[in-house]
mmCIF file of all heavy atoms in Angstrom:
data_model
loop_
_atom_site.group_PDB
_atom_site.id
_atom_site.type_symbol
_atom_site.label_atom_id
_atom_site.label_comp_id
_atom_site.label_asym_id
_atom_site.label_seq_id
_atom_site.Cartn_x
_atom_site.Cartn_y
_atom_site.Cartn_z
ATOM 1 N N GLY A 929 -5.471 32.862 18.738
ATOM 2 C CA GLY A 929 -4.586 31.814 18.249
ATOM 3 C C GLY A 929 -3.148 32.253 18.120
ATOM 4 O O GLY A 929 -2.286 31.490 17.701
ATOM 5 N N LYS A 930 -2.869 33.499 18.492
ATOM 6 C CA LYS A 930 -1.506 34.032 18.394
ATOM 7 C C LYS A 930 -0.578 33.278 19.354
ATOM 8 O O LYS A 930 -0.925 33.057 20.516
ATOM 9 C CB LYS A 930 -1.492 35.514 18.740
ATOM 10 C CG LYS A 930 -0.114 36.127 18.698
ATOM 11 C CD LYS A 930 -0.120 37.580 19.084
ATOM 12 C CE LYS A 930 1.305 38.089 19.088
ATOM 13 N NZ LYS A 930 1.405 39.420 19.664
ATOM 14 N N VAL A 931 0.594 32.887 18.853
ATOM 15 C CA VAL A 931 1.593 32.233 19.691
ATOM 16 C C VAL A 931 2.206 33.292 20.602
ATOM 17 O O VAL A 931 2.751 34.290 20.138
ATOM 18 C CB VAL A 931 2.684 31.552 18.844
ATOM 19 C CG1 VAL A 931 3.781 30.996 19.728
ATOM 20 C CG2 VAL A 931 2.080 30.446 17.992
ATOM 21 N N LEU A 932 2.104 33.074 21.914
ATOM 22 C CA LEU A 932 2.621 34.025 22.891
ATOM 23 C C LEU A 932 3.997 33.621 23.406
ATOM 24 O O LEU A 932 4.821 34.473 23.714
ATOM 25 C CB LEU A 932 1.651 34.136 24.066
ATOM 26 C CG LEU A 932 0.229 34.554 23.700
ATOM 27 C CD1 LEU A 932 -0.677 34.447 24.909
ATOM 28 C CD2 LEU A 932 0.224 35.952 23.112
ATOM 29 N N SER A 933 4.217 32.330 23.521
ATOM 30 C CA SER A 933 5.473 31.844 24.066
ATOM 31 C C SER A 933 5.554 30.342 23.819
ATOM 32 O O SER A 933 4.601 29.732 23.336
ATOM 33 C CB SER A 933 5.541 32.146 25.570
ATOM 34 O OG SER A 933 6.806 31.834 26.096
ATOM 35 N N ARG A 934 6.702 29.775 24.156
ATOM 36 C CA ARG A 934 6.862 28.325 24.119
ATOM 37 C C ARG A 934 8.008 27.959 25.040
ATOM 38 O O ARG A 934 8.837 28.790 25.394
ATOM 39 C CB ARG A 934 7.122 27.811 22.704
ATOM 40 C CG ARG A 934 8.511 28.110 22.210
ATOM 41 C CD ARG A 934 8.820 27.361 20.931
ATOM 42 N NE ARG A 934 10.188 27.620 20.585
ATOM 43 C CZ ARG A 934 10.617 28.067 19.431
ATOM 44 N NH1 ARG A 934 9.754 28.308 18.464
ATOM 45 N NH2 ARG A 934 11.890 28.277 19.221
ATOM 46 N N PHE A 935 8.041 26.705 25.441
ATOM 47 C CA PHE A 935 9.190 26.212 26.189
ATOM 48 C C PHE A 935 9.455 24.777 25.789
ATOM 49 O O PHE A 935 8.606 24.106 25.201
ATOM 50 C CB PHE A 935 9.010 26.360 27.705
ATOM 51 C CG PHE A 935 7.914 25.510 28.300
ATOM 52 C CD1 PHE A 935 8.153 24.195 28.687
ATOM 53 C CD2 PHE A 935 6.648 26.032 28.486
ATOM 54 C CE1 PHE A 935 7.153 23.420 29.242
ATOM 55 C CE2 PHE A 935 5.640 25.271 29.044
ATOM 56 C CZ PHE A 935 5.895 23.954 29.430
ATOM 57 N N GLY A 936 10.643 24.328 26.126
ATOM 58 C CA GLY A 936 11.064 22.981 25.790
ATOM 59 C C GLY A 936 11.876 22.954 24.515
ATOM 60 O O GLY A 936 11.786 23.849 23.675
ATOM 61 N N ARG A 937 12.687 21.945 24.420
ATOM 62 C CA ARG A 937 13.446 21.662 23.204
ATOM 63 C C ARG A 937 13.761 20.182 23.223
ATOM 64 O O ARG A 937 13.627 19.517 24.258
ATOM 65 C CB ARG A 937 14.705 22.504 23.105
ATOM 66 C CG ARG A 937 15.691 22.233 24.207
ATOM 67 C CD ARG A 937 16.903 23.110 24.106
ATOM 68 N NE ARG A 937 17.781 22.781 25.221
ATOM 69 C CZ ARG A 937 19.043 23.018 25.241
ATOM 70 N NH1 ARG A 937 19.608 23.606 24.235
ATOM 71 N NH2 ARG A 937 19.764 22.682 26.284
ATOM 72 N N SER A 938 14.191 19.679 22.117
ATOM 73 C CA SER A 938 14.433 18.254 22.003
ATOM 74 C C SER A 938 15.589 17.814 22.895
ATOM 75 O O SER A 938 16.648 18.438 22.913
ATOM 76 C CB SER A 938 14.737 17.910 20.546
ATOM 77 O OG SER A 938 14.818 16.519 20.390
ATOM 78 N N GLY A 939 15.363 16.775 23.668
ATOM 79 C CA GLY A 939 16.412 16.230 24.515
ATOM 80 C C GLY A 939 15.849 15.355 25.607
ATOM 81 O O GLY A 939 14.641 15.216 25.763
ATOM 82 N N ARG A 940 16.749 14.793 26.390
ATOM 83 C CA ARG A 940 16.341 13.857 27.440
ATOM 84 C C ARG A 940 16.735 14.314 28.839
ATOM 85 O O ARG A 940 16.605 13.575 29.792
ATOM 86 C CB ARG A 940 16.934 12.481 27.148
ATOM 87 C CG ARG A 940 16.391 11.923 25.853
ATOM 88 C CD ARG A 940 17.118 10.656 25.471
ATOM 89 N NE ARG A 940 16.813 10.283 24.110
ATOM 90 C CZ ARG A 940 15.886 9.407 23.770
ATOM 91 N NH1 ARG A 940 15.170 8.806 24.672
ATOM 92 N NH2 ARG A 940 15.675 9.114 22.509
ATOM 93 N N TYR A 941 17.216 15.549 28.955
ATOM 94 C CA TYR A 941 17.568 16.078 30.265
ATOM 95 C C TYR A 941 16.380 16.836 30.857
ATOM 96 O O TYR A 941 15.399 17.118 30.163
ATOM 97 C CB TYR A 941 18.788 16.998 30.159
ATOM 98 C CG TYR A 941 20.048 16.256 29.764
ATOM 99 C CD1 TYR A 941 20.542 16.338 28.470
ATOM 100 C CD2 TYR A 941 20.730 15.467 30.687
ATOM 101 C CE1 TYR A 941 21.691 15.653 28.097
ATOM 102 C CE2 TYR A 941 21.878 14.776 30.327
ATOM 103 C CZ TYR A 941 22.345 14.867 29.029
ATOM 104 O OH TYR A 941 23.470 14.186 28.672
ATOM 105 N N ALA A 942 16.481 17.176 32.133
ATOM 106 C CA ALA A 942 15.416 17.932 32.797
ATOM 107 C C ALA A 942 15.123 19.213 32.013
ATOM 108 O O ALA A 942 16.043 19.931 31.614
ATOM 109 C CB ALA A 942 15.814 18.266 34.223
ATOM 110 N N GLY A 943 13.853 19.462 31.785
ATOM 111 C CA GLY A 943 13.436 20.649 31.051
ATOM 112 C C GLY A 943 13.384 20.463 29.546
ATOM 113 O O GLY A 943 12.821 21.288 28.844
ATOM 114 N N GLN A 944 13.972 19.396 29.049
ATOM 115 C CA GLN A 944 13.900 19.083 27.635
ATOM 116 C C GLN A 944 12.789 18.052 27.420
ATOM 117 O O GLN A 944 12.360 17.388 28.364
ATOM 118 C CB GLN A 944 15.237 18.527 27.139
ATOM 119 C CG GLN A 944 16.363 19.523 27.263
ATOM 120 C CD GLN A 944 17.710 18.937 26.865
ATOM 121 O OE1 GLN A 944 17.923 17.724 26.896
ATOM 122 N NE2 GLN A 944 18.625 19.808 26.487
ATOM 123 N N LEU A 945 12.349 17.918 26.185
ATOM 124 C CA LEU A 945 11.218 17.041 25.889
ATOM 125 C C LEU A 945 11.572 16.053 24.789
ATOM 126 O O LEU A 945 12.294 16.389 23.852
ATOM 127 C CB LEU A 945 10.005 17.874 25.464
ATOM 128 C CG LEU A 945 9.525 18.900 26.491
ATOM 129 C CD1 LEU A 945 8.559 19.881 25.857
ATOM 130 C CD2 LEU A 945 8.898 18.203 27.676
ATOM 131 N N HIS A 946 11.051 14.855 24.925
ATOM 132 C CA HIS A 946 11.223 13.828 23.897
ATOM 133 C C HIS A 946 9.867 13.191 23.627
ATOM 134 O O HIS A 946 9.378 12.392 24.410
ATOM 135 C CB HIS A 946 12.226 12.760 24.350
ATOM 136 C CG HIS A 946 12.450 11.695 23.336
ATOM 137 N ND1 HIS A 946 13.158 11.925 22.172
ATOM 138 C CD2 HIS A 946 12.027 10.420 23.283
ATOM 139 C CE1 HIS A 946 13.181 10.794 21.461
ATOM 140 N NE2 HIS A 946 12.494 9.877 22.111
ATOM 141 N N TRP A 947 9.240 13.596 22.545
ATOM 142 C CA TRP A 947 7.916 13.137 22.155
ATOM 143 C C TRP A 947 6.905 13.376 23.277
ATOM 144 O O TRP A 947 6.316 12.453 23.816
ATOM 145 C CB TRP A 947 7.932 11.679 21.750
ATOM 146 C CG TRP A 947 8.585 11.389 20.431
ATOM 147 C CD1 TRP A 947 9.384 12.235 19.701
ATOM 148 C CD2 TRP A 947 8.494 10.197 19.688
ATOM 149 N NE1 TRP A 947 9.799 11.619 18.574
ATOM 150 C CE2 TRP A 947 9.263 10.359 18.527
ATOM 151 C CE3 TRP A 947 7.851 9.005 19.893
ATOM 152 C CZ2 TRP A 947 9.398 9.381 17.579
ATOM 153 C CZ3 TRP A 947 7.984 8.019 18.943
ATOM 154 C CH2 TRP A 947 8.740 8.212 17.797
ATOM 155 N N VAL A 948 6.724 14.647 23.610
ATOM 156 C CA VAL A 948 5.749 15.002 24.644
ATOM 157 C C VAL A 948 4.350 14.660 24.121
ATOM 158 O O VAL A 948 3.887 15.208 23.141
ATOM 159 C CB VAL A 948 5.885 16.481 25.080
ATOM 160 C CG1 VAL A 948 5.747 17.450 23.922
ATOM 161 C CG2 VAL A 948 4.892 16.815 26.166
ATOM 162 N N ARG A 949 3.725 13.707 24.764
ATOM 163 C CA ARG A 949 2.475 13.127 24.272
ATOM 164 C C ARG A 949 1.236 13.706 24.946
ATOM 165 O O ARG A 949 0.219 13.933 24.317
ATOM 166 C CB ARG A 949 2.517 11.610 24.485
ATOM 167 C CG ARG A 949 1.258 10.872 24.187
ATOM 168 C CD ARG A 949 0.949 10.899 22.735
ATOM 169 N NE ARG A 949 -0.286 10.167 22.501
ATOM 170 C CZ ARG A 949 -0.787 9.970 21.322
ATOM 171 N NH1 ARG A 949 -0.186 10.433 20.263
ATOM 172 N NH2 ARG A 949 -1.900 9.314 21.185
ATOM 173 N N ASN A 950 1.306 13.886 26.255
ATOM 174 C CA ASN A 950 0.152 14.389 27.013
ATOM 175 C C ASN A 950 0.590 15.507 27.934
ATOM 176 O O ASN A 950 1.756 15.628 28.279
ATOM 177 C CB ASN A 950 -0.476 13.267 27.851
ATOM 178 C CG ASN A 950 -0.995 12.148 26.996
ATOM 179 O OD1 ASN A 950 -0.356 11.114 26.888
ATOM 180 N ND2 ASN A 950 -2.135 12.349 26.369
ATOM 181 N N MET A 951 -0.390 16.282 28.367
ATOM 182 C CA MET A 951 -0.108 17.341 29.326
ATOM 183 C C MET A 951 -1.356 17.651 30.135
ATOM 184 O O MET A 951 -2.469 17.318 29.737
ATOM 185 C CB MET A 951 0.394 18.594 28.622
ATOM 186 C CG MET A 951 -0.630 19.219 27.700
ATOM 187 S SD MET A 951 -0.029 20.696 26.894
ATOM 188 C CE MET A 951 0.411 21.676 28.279
ATOM 189 N N ALA A 952 -1.126 18.290 31.275
ATOM 190 C CA ALA A 952 -2.222 18.729 32.144
ATOM 191 C C ALA A 952 -1.768 19.982 32.870
ATOM 192 O O ALA A 952 -0.567 20.183 33.089
ATOM 193 C CB ALA A 952 -2.579 17.640 33.143
ATOM 194 N N VAL A 953 -2.718 20.812 33.244
ATOM 195 C CA VAL A 953 -2.438 22.033 34.002
ATOM 196 C C VAL A 953 -3.197 21.939 35.307
ATOM 197 O O VAL A 953 -4.402 21.663 35.313
ATOM 198 C CB VAL A 953 -2.868 23.289 33.215
ATOM 199 C CG1 VAL A 953 -2.564 24.553 34.000
ATOM 200 C CG2 VAL A 953 -2.194 23.331 31.848
ATOM 201 N N ASP A 954 -2.495 22.154 36.431
ATOM 202 C CA ASP A 954 -3.177 22.077 37.726
ATOM 203 C C ASP A 954 -3.775 23.420 38.115
ATOM 204 O O ASP A 954 -3.664 24.410 37.381
ATOM 205 C CB ASP A 954 -2.253 21.499 38.808
ATOM 206 C CG ASP A 954 -1.115 22.411 39.231
ATOM 207 O OD1 ASP A 954 -1.138 23.638 38.938
ATOM 208 O OD2 ASP A 954 -0.175 21.911 39.875
ATOM 209 N N SER A 955 -4.423 23.484 39.269
ATOM 210 C CA SER A 955 -5.132 24.691 39.707
ATOM 211 C C SER A 955 -4.198 25.870 39.964
ATOM 212 O O SER A 955 -4.642 27.011 40.010
ATOM 213 C CB SER A 955 -5.937 24.389 40.971
ATOM 214 O OG SER A 955 -5.070 24.013 42.029
ATOM 215 N N ARG A 956 -2.919 25.628 40.119
ATOM 216 C CA ARG A 956 -1.939 26.708 40.336
ATOM 217 C C ARG A 956 -1.246 27.128 39.041
ATOM 218 O O ARG A 956 -0.374 27.971 39.055
ATOM 219 C CB ARG A 956 -0.908 26.268 41.355
ATOM 220 C CG ARG A 956 -1.508 26.093 42.723
ATOM 221 C CD ARG A 956 -0.471 25.792 43.739
ATOM 222 N NE ARG A 956 -1.091 25.782 45.059
ATOM 223 C CZ ARG A 956 -0.574 25.179 46.090
ATOM 224 N NH1 ARG A 956 0.568 24.539 45.992
ATOM 225 N NH2 ARG A 956 -1.195 25.220 47.252
ATOM 226 N N GLY A 957 -1.609 26.508 37.931
ATOM 227 C CA GLY A 957 -1.017 26.863 36.647
ATOM 228 C C GLY A 957 0.245 26.094 36.300
ATOM 229 O O GLY A 957 0.859 26.361 35.272
ATOM 230 N N ASN A 958 0.649 25.143 37.145
ATOM 231 C CA ASN A 958 1.795 24.316 36.820
ATOM 232 C C ASN A 958 1.432 23.367 35.690
ATOM 233 O O ASN A 958 0.308 22.859 35.633
ATOM 234 C CB ASN A 958 2.256 23.513 38.042
ATOM 235 C CG ASN A 958 2.683 24.418 39.172
ATOM 236 O OD1 ASN A 958 3.495 25.313 39.002
ATOM 237 N ND2 ASN A 958 2.097 24.198 40.337
ATOM 238 N N ILE A 959 2.375 23.113 34.804
ATOM 239 C CA ILE A 959 2.135 22.259 33.650
ATOM 240 C C ILE A 959 2.883 20.948 33.838
ATOM 241 O O ILE A 959 4.067 20.939 34.179
ATOM 242 C CB ILE A 959 2.589 22.959 32.355
ATOM 243 C CG1 ILE A 959 1.768 24.236 32.147
ATOM 244 C CG2 ILE A 959 2.474 22.023 31.160
ATOM 245 C CD1 ILE A 959 2.246 25.101 31.006
ATOM 246 N N TYR A 960 2.181 19.853 33.620
ATOM 247 C CA TYR A 960 2.768 18.517 33.709
ATOM 248 C C TYR A 960 2.789 17.922 32.305
ATOM 249 O O TYR A 960 1.773 17.964 31.606
ATOM 250 C CB TYR A 960 1.943 17.622 34.634
ATOM 251 C CG TYR A 960 1.911 18.132 36.052
ATOM 252 C CD1 TYR A 960 0.990 19.110 36.432
ATOM 253 C CD2 TYR A 960 2.807 17.651 37.000
ATOM 254 C CE1 TYR A 960 0.965 19.590 37.737
ATOM 255 C CE2 TYR A 960 2.780 18.129 38.303
ATOM 256 C CZ TYR A 960 1.859 19.095 38.660
ATOM 257 O OH TYR A 960 1.849 19.577 39.944
ATOM 258 N N THR A 961 3.930 17.390 31.905
ATOM 259 C CA THR A 961 4.046 16.766 30.595
ATOM 260 C C THR A 961 4.382 15.288 30.755
ATOM 261 O O THR A 961 5.085 14.907 31.683
ATOM 262 C CB THR A 961 5.141 17.437 29.740
ATOM 263 O OG1 THR A 961 6.407 17.316 30.399
ATOM 264 C CG2 THR A 961 4.817 18.902 29.493
ATOM 265 N N ALA A 962 3.884 14.479 29.831
ATOM 266 C CA ALA A 962 4.188 13.045 29.810
ATOM 267 C C ALA A 962 4.779 12.714 28.446
ATOM 268 O O ALA A 962 4.258 13.144 27.418
ATOM 269 C CB ALA A 962 2.925 12.227 30.049
ATOM 270 N N GLU A 963 5.871 11.950 28.452
ATOM 271 C CA GLU A 963 6.582 11.623 27.226
ATOM 272 C C GLU A 963 6.479 10.132 26.917
ATOM 273 O O GLU A 963 6.324 9.318 27.817
ATOM 274 C CB GLU A 963 8.053 12.023 27.358
ATOM 275 C CG GLU A 963 8.216 13.509 27.626
ATOM 276 C CD GLU A 963 9.621 13.885 28.024
ATOM 277 O OE1 GLU A 963 10.584 13.383 27.417
ATOM 278 O OE2 GLU A 963 9.758 14.686 28.965
ATOM 279 N N VAL A 964 6.561 9.810 25.639
ATOM 280 C CA VAL A 964 6.512 8.421 25.191
ATOM 281 C C VAL A 964 7.844 8.045 24.556
ATOM 282 O O VAL A 964 8.792 8.815 24.598
ATOM 283 C CB VAL A 964 5.340 8.199 24.203
ATOM 284 C CG1 VAL A 964 4.018 8.425 24.885
ATOM 285 C CG2 VAL A 964 5.459 9.082 22.976
ATOM 286 N N ASP A 965 7.903 6.894 23.934
ATOM 287 C CA ASP A 965 9.103 6.342 23.339
ATOM 288 C C ASP A 965 10.112 6.075 24.449
ATOM 289 O O ASP A 965 9.756 5.496 25.462
ATOM 290 C CB ASP A 965 9.668 7.264 22.259
ATOM 291 C CG ASP A 965 10.776 6.609 21.450
ATOM 292 O OD1 ASP A 965 10.653 5.420 21.112
ATOM 293 O OD2 ASP A 965 11.782 7.288 21.147
ATOM 294 N N ASN A 966 11.329 6.496 24.292
ATOM 295 C CA ASN A 966 12.343 6.237 25.320
ATOM 296 C C ASN A 966 12.339 7.270 26.438
ATOM 297 O O ASN A 966 13.047 7.112 27.420
ATOM 298 C CB ASN A 966 13.731 6.151 24.693
ATOM 299 C CG ASN A 966 13.861 4.940 23.802
ATOM 300 O OD1 ASN A 966 13.295 3.892 24.083
ATOM 301 N ND2 ASN A 966 14.575 5.091 22.699
ATOM 302 N N GLY A 967 11.574 8.361 26.264
ATOM 303 C CA GLY A 967 11.482 9.370 27.319
ATOM 304 C C GLY A 967 10.813 8.797 28.558
ATOM 305 O O GLY A 967 11.345 8.825 29.653
ATOM 306 N N LYS A 968 9.621 8.255 28.388
ATOM 307 C CA LYS A 968 8.851 7.587 29.436
ATOM 308 C C LYS A 968 8.962 8.263 30.791
ATOM 309 O O LYS A 968 9.386 7.661 31.767
ATOM 310 C CB LYS A 968 9.276 6.126 29.550
ATOM 311 C CG LYS A 968 9.010 5.332 28.305
ATOM 312 C CD LYS A 968 9.454 3.902 28.454
ATOM 313 C CE LYS A 968 9.256 3.178 27.147
ATOM 314 N NZ LYS A 968 9.941 1.914 27.090
ATOM 315 N N ARG A 969 8.591 9.511 30.850
ATOM 316 C CA ARG A 969 8.660 10.234 32.116
ATOM 317 C C ARG A 969 7.591 11.320 32.158
ATOM 318 O O ARG A 969 6.990 11.665 31.157
ATOM 319 C CB ARG A 969 10.036 10.864 32.305
ATOM 320 C CG ARG A 969 10.341 11.919 31.256
ATOM 321 C CD ARG A 969 11.691 12.532 31.455
ATOM 322 N NE ARG A 969 11.972 13.433 30.340
ATOM 323 C CZ ARG A 969 13.049 14.142 30.221
ATOM 324 N NH1 ARG A 969 13.989 14.060 31.153
ATOM 325 N NH2 ARG A 969 13.239 14.932 29.195
ATOM 326 N N VAL A 970 7.398 11.846 33.356
ATOM 327 C CA VAL A 970 6.522 12.988 33.586
ATOM 328 C C VAL A 970 7.392 14.094 34.153
ATOM 329 O O VAL A 970 8.254 13.849 35.002
ATOM 330 C CB VAL A 970 5.392 12.628 34.578
ATOM 331 C CG1 VAL A 970 4.583 13.848 34.939
ATOM 332 C CG2 VAL A 970 4.500 11.542 34.000
ATOM 333 N N GLN A 971 7.178 15.323 33.668
ATOM 334 C CA GLN A 971 7.900 16.471 34.205
ATOM 335 C C GLN A 971 6.897 17.528 34.654
ATOM 336 O O GLN A 971 5.820 17.653 34.076
ATOM 337 C CB GLN A 971 8.822 17.098 33.147
ATOM 338 C CG GLN A 971 9.947 16.199 32.697
ATOM 339 C CD GLN A 971 10.917 16.949 31.821
ATOM 340 O OE1 GLN A 971 11.697 17.762 32.305
ATOM 341 N NE2 GLN A 971 10.871 16.672 30.522
ATOM 342 N N LYS A 972 7.288 18.274 35.662
ATOM 343 C CA LYS A 972 6.474 19.387 36.159
ATOM 344 C C LYS A 972 7.205 20.681 35.832
ATOM 345 O O LYS A 972 8.385 20.838 36.136
ATOM 346 C CB LYS A 972 6.281 19.286 37.671
ATOM 347 C CG LYS A 972 5.548 20.477 38.265
ATOM 348 C CD LYS A 972 5.486 20.381 39.777
ATOM 349 C CE LYS A 972 4.852 21.604 40.387
ATOM 350 N NZ LYS A 972 4.859 21.538 41.857
ATOM 351 N N PHE A 973 6.476 21.607 35.209
ATOM 352 C CA PHE A 973 6.998 22.926 34.894
ATOM 353 C C PHE A 973 6.218 23.939 35.723
ATOM 354 O O PHE A 973 4.996 24.054 35.570
ATOM 355 C CB PHE A 973 6.866 23.220 33.397
ATOM 356 C CG PHE A 973 7.704 22.303 32.544
ATOM 357 C CD1 PHE A 973 7.193 21.105 32.082
ATOM 358 C CD2 PHE A 973 9.015 22.639 32.226
ATOM 359 C CE1 PHE A 973 7.963 20.254 31.303
ATOM 360 C CE2 PHE A 973 9.801 21.788 31.451
ATOM 361 C CZ PHE A 973 9.276 20.597 30.993
ATOM 362 N N ALA A 974 6.917 24.630 36.607
ATOM 363 C CA ALA A 974 6.269 25.592 37.504
ATOM 364 C C ALA A 974 5.840 26.832 36.726
ATOM 365 O O ALA A 974 6.570 27.319 35.854
ATOM 366 C CB ALA A 974 7.218 25.989 38.622
#
């Protein structure tokens, strides 16, 4: 349960997050995030 790392910070630009609601990890380890409220977008983090 040790925290190893984190990414993201509050905002609406690429790489920033606004109410990140859901996420998924693909077979290559890329992380996809989905935001709600006014964010309403999906981002891919390699």
Side-chain angles (χ1 to χ4, degrees):
K930 178 182 177 190
V931 175
L932 302 172
S933 187
R934 74 169 184 233
F935 66 86
R937 63 182 179 158
S938 187
R940 297 172 193 264
Y941 294 104
Q944 297 176 337
L945 301 166
H946 181 72
W947 288 14
V948 57
R949 173 68 180 183
N950 298 102
M951 64 179 303
V953 181
D954 70 16
S955 62
R956 293 186 174 159
N958 299 308
I959 298 172
Y960 297 84
T961 61
E963 300 169 43
V964 296
D965 190 41
N966 293 325
K968 297 179 184 166
R969 64 180 174 179
V970 173
Q971 295 188 74
K972 175 185 176 183
F973 295 90

